[in-house]
Amino acid sequence: MELGYFGDKIVPFSGVRADMRFPAISEVRAYWEALRNGRKVPLRSEIDPRGIERALEYAFVLERIAPNVSRFRLAGMHLNDLMGMEVRGMPVTAFFTPASRPEASGIIENVFRTPQIAEMTLGGETAFGKPPMAARLIILPLQSDLGDISRALGCLVADGAVGRTPRRFDLVSAAITTIETGKAGFLPVPARGFAESQGPIDGEPKGDRSHLRLVKTDK
């Protein structure tokens, strides 16, 4: 069941159609659903960038490092463009305005704890050189190699001129989806090619950036 948050009201989101301006959101969610195949959540090692090739520039992988704190392990170029810098290692809440961070942080924390799916409608903060932007964000939980749910696959798409960076967003609404399972446990699947560094981000060699971004390539 999906629930939507509007201020202090909670309303069902059943039957709500995806905004056609953000097809990458639907692609990433469909890929995640296909991977889990009735399980609670997919494994982080199952993610293959070829499965979401058209959405790669908008996609990211989060790591939960503490309660209410999760950071980017990988991020597509669209996210870097919105911030005007490399976002890898930054907290996901950096994309939210200060007023929206507490609520957004709580929603994202529950993605890992419950787990559940969070899909948010965002509005770009406006100022001189920062025109209005509409955005959608989805965060989908993943099981790490250690067996805990401390990773997440996500997608952030903003519609409109970027203008001056960094661009931050207000949380307009959020749809929360309870995950229903059809199978018990997790199926072992060999690791594939969505590689990320397993060491501390701050201590990695600056010369090797092959793992820092998701890059969409033409075939």
Side-chain angles (χ1 to χ4, degrees), residues 49 56-57 59 73-78 80-81 84-88 194-195 208-216:
L56 275 183
E57 64 181 298
R73 294 292 305 188
L74 292 168
M77 290 300 298
H78 182 65
N80 296 337
D81 292 342
M85 66 185 77
E86 171 67 63
V87 304
R88 184 175 182 273
F194 202 67
D208 180 9
R209 301 178 63 83
S210 61
H211 59 285
L212 296 185
R213 303 183 184 185
L214 301 176
V215 180
K216 183 176 180 180

Side-chain angles (χ1 to χ4, degrees), residues 21-43:
R21 290 177 298 172
F22 308 109
I25 298 289
S26 298
E27 180 176 344
V28 170
R29 179 163 182 176
Y31 176 71
W32 180 88
E33 290 283 6
L35 278 184
R36 79 181 185 98
N37 191 29
R39 295 172 288 161
K40 198 168 189 178
V41 300
L43 298 169

Side-chain angles (χ1 to χ4, degrees), residues 7-192:
D8 59 351
K9 297 181 179 179
I10 303 177
V11 298
F13 255 66
S14 301
V16 175
R17 294 185 178 182
D19 193 325
M20 295 306 294
R21 290 177 298 172
F22 308 109
I25 298 289
S26 298
E27 180 176 344
V28 170
R29 179 163 182 176
Y31 176 71
W32 180 88
E33 290 283 6
L35 278 184
R36 79 181 185 98
N37 191 29
R39 295 172 288 161
K40 198 168 189 178
V41 300
L43 298 169
R44 163 64 184 83
S45 58
E46 291 180 282
I47 303 298
D48 186 339
R50 293 170 296 183
I52 51 171
E53 185 176 359
R54 290 173 298 180
L56 275 183
E57 64 181 298
Y58 310 104
F60 59 85
V61 171
L62 291 180
E63 176 188 19
R64 180 182 181 269
I65 59 174
N68 294 300
V69 181
S70 55
R71 64 180 179 178
F72 292 101
R73 294 292 305 188
L74 292 168
M77 290 300 298
H78 182 65
L79 282 75
N80 296 337
D81 292 342
L82 290 172
M83 291 300 289
M85 66 185 77
E86 171 67 63
V87 304
R88 184 175 182 273
M90 294 174 59
V92 64
T93 50
F95 277 89
F96 292 89
T97 60
S100 292
R101 284 173 189 167
E103 186 174 3
S105 179
I107 292 171
I108 296 168
E109 174 69 9
N110 283 331
V111 169
F112 299 105
R113 281 180 177 263
T114 305
Q116 62 191 22
I117 301 167
E119 188 167 358
M120 306 181 205
T121 299
L122 311 176
E125 182 181 37
T126 57
F128 177 75
K130 296 184 177 183
M133 298 185 81
R136 289 283 290 274
L137 169 66
I138 190 168
I139 302 178
L140 305 143
L142 299 171
Q143 185 188 29
S144 77
D145 294 336
L146 299 177
D148 59 340
I149 299 176
S150 60
R151 301 290 192 273
L153 174 66
C155 184
L156 171 62
V157 184
D159 180 41
V162 174
R164 292 174 55 240
T165 58
R167 296 305 305 267
R168 293 186 171 87
F169 298 87
D170 292 312
L171 176 59
V172 177
S173 63
I176 306 303
T177 305
T178 301
I179 299 173
E180 298 179 357
T181 59
K183 296 180 181 180
F186 293 91
L187 303 178
V189 177
R192 302 185 199 167

